[in-house]
Amino acid sequence: GFIYADGDNLPVVTDVNLGASTGQLADGRPIFGASRVNPLFNRIFEVQSIGDSTFKGLTLQMSKRLAEGLTFNFQYVTGKGIDNTPLLTQLTVQSEPGRSDPTNLDRDKGPNPLDMRHNLSGNIVYTSISHASNSVVRALLDGNQIGVLLQLNSSLPVNIRSNRDLNGDGVSSDRPLDVARNSLYLPNRYNVDMRYPRLIPVRGSVRAEVIAEMKNVFNTEQMSGFNSVVTTDAAGNPTTALPSDGYGFPSATGYEQRKFQLGFKVRF
């Protein structure tokens, strides 16, 4: 199915006790002074329902149970989510540091933190059927079940931030000059898992079961995050060229590599 959603009135958190602007960065972001409008208070946060978001998506699903023991189910989702509302921890699970310009909401217009453009997932289950005349061969080849789980997707966006509070508003959310919100995406993720359970009759109602499982069958490298804070000067210029992908940033983390486990169970 096709999905289109245009949302208004998303919650926006703004510090309304900032001092007067003492200048601006090269991209027009104001720089605030140390004084406060109301000196009796430090920061005063106001929550307004003024944010906008747009989402367009398409979902396709295919499932089939075939003869001879084969079943499969696949789902493909493509979508694009844009908003101008960096939500804080108090307002969402997938939080962001906050606004980079308290005076201009559209300064933060960009992909939302859950903007995964393509996602293909599914499972394939095959149960072997043997018609061999030899009872031993038939017992070995019949009833073997192999399950495959697939997860192939583009990854989530990452917000590149400066190590400085460039605009003096006390929020560590400022991006270097000419860097848009959530402008860099993690590398695509390709993961295949497999599972093989096998029941073995022992005697009467006693049965043994062998379970073999393998995570990340092809041992693909799957990055889950990195340190996206970069060093800038006071004007917001990066001190070194910004990397074009996640592998150029430090402290990368990833999902688990290939893992195999074997289990045994006896039922009686």
Side-chain angles (χ1 to χ4, degrees), residues 39-266:
L40 298 178
F41 297 92
N42 185 14
R43 303 169 71 180
I44 301 176
F45 291 110
E46 180 180 72
V47 180
Q48 299 170 288
S49 298
I50 57 176
D52 294 322
S53 69
T54 300
F55 176 78
K56 300 176 182 178
L58 175 68
T59 301
L60 302 174
Q61 183 172 8
M62 180 176 63
S63 60
K64 186 69 174 180
R65 181 184 295 274
L66 302 174
E68 301 300 324
L70 180 63
T71 302
F72 62 83
N73 181 44
F74 294 102
Q75 302 85 34
Y76 171 71
V77 180
T78 180
K80 181 178 181 180
I82 301 293
D83 66 44
N84 60 0
T85 314
L87 296 178
L88 302 178
T89 305
Q90 298 89 335
L91 303 175
T92 181
V93 175
Q94 193 74 14
S95 63
E96 297 180 80
R99 298 177 61 180
S100 64
D101 184 350
T103 67
N104 183 357
L105 195 59
D106 284 337
R107 185 83 66 182
D108 290 309
K109 187 174 183 179
N112 66 56
L114 297 176
D115 183 46
M116 183 180 291
R117 300 293 171 89
H118 302 279
N119 184 19
L120 174 65
S121 61
N123 61 78
I124 304 170
V125 178
Y126 174 69
T127 303
S128 65
I129 301 174
S130 175
H131 302 289
S133 58
N134 186 290
S135 60
V136 176
V137 174
R138 187 169 62 251
L140 291 174
L141 298 183
D142 194 60
N144 293 284
Q145 187 180 87
I146 298 176
V148 178
L149 295 177
L150 303 173
Q151 183 178 359
L152 314 174
N153 58 260
S154 56
S155 290
L156 298 174
V158 178
N159 196 39
I160 300 175
R161 295 190 293 112
S162 167
N163 65 324
R164 295 171 176 263
D165 179 13
L166 298 174
N167 62 1
D169 65 351
V171 180
S172 300
S173 61
D174 299 325
R175 297 182 298 274
L177 293 179
D178 303 318
V179 174
R181 171 175 166 242
N182 292 337
S183 56
L184 186 65
Y185 284 77
L186 290 167
N188 296 339
R189 185 181 182 191
Y190 308 103
N191 186 71
V192 178
D193 299 333
M194 293 187 67
R195 188 174 192 269
Y196 172 76
R198 172 69 176 179
L199 286 174
I200 304 173
V202 178
R203 186 177 59 183
S205 62
V206 180
R207 294 175 179 268
E209 184 177 4
V210 179
I211 303 173
E213 295 179 326
M214 183 175 289
K215 287 281 295 180
N216 194 359
V217 174
F218 299 105
N219 203 32
T220 56
E221 189 174 85
Q222 303 172 56
M223 184 183 294
S224 61
F226 54 82
N227 183 359
S228 62
V229 178
V230 299
T231 303
T232 70
D233 59 23
N237 300 294
T239 56
T240 59
L242 296 180
S244 58
D245 59 47
Y247 291 101
F249 288 84
S251 304
T253 57
Y255 299 101
E256 62 185 357
Q257 297 297 106
R258 182 189 291 134
K259 179 185 292 185
F260 175 77
Q261 59 185 19
L262 184 64
F264 303 92
K265 182 190 296 184
V266 177

Side-chain angles (χ1 to χ4, degrees), residues 17 36-42:
N17 198 34
R36 297 281 178 172
V37 174
N38 187 339
L40 298 178
F41 297 92
N42 185 14

